[in-house]
Amino acid sequence: MNSRQKKTLAVVFKDPVPGTLEWVDIEGLLVAVGCQIIEGNGSRVRFEKDGELESFHRPHPAKEAKRYQVRAARAFLIRLGIEP
């Protein structure tokens, strides 16, 4: 994990949940921790690692992740055993 991804990890676990985190940073973090991206229809994307699966819709037209998406990414990382 590089320094940008470590910063993203810290922001994902920050309270209150930020509304300014860009989705590409969350995707980069999930790939850096070993997740495989499974593209779906339209904006749907799934991430899989060690049998754990999480599904998201990429935000559009804005590039910032919604707060519920950040919370879901946090829960997924916790299930994977990854915390700052």
Side-chain angles (χ1 to χ4, degrees), residues 15-49:
D15 277 319
V17 176
T20 58
L21 185 60
E22 291 188 16
W23 176 253
V24 294
D25 292 334
I26 293 175
E27 274 195 31
L29 171 63
L30 292 173
V31 169
V33 299
C35 293
Q36 178 184 6
I37 296 178
I38 304 166
E39 296 287 342
N41 293 332
S43 64
R44 185 179 194 120
V45 62
R46 292 189 296 171
F47 295 91
E48 187 275 330
K49 182 180 182 206

Side-chain angles (χ1 to χ4, degrees), residues 4-17:
R4 181 176 181 168
Q5 292 154 346
K6 288 178 184 175
K7 287 178 188 175
T8 301
L9 180 63
V11 171
V12 166
F13 279 86
K14 188 177 178 183
D15 277 319
V17 176

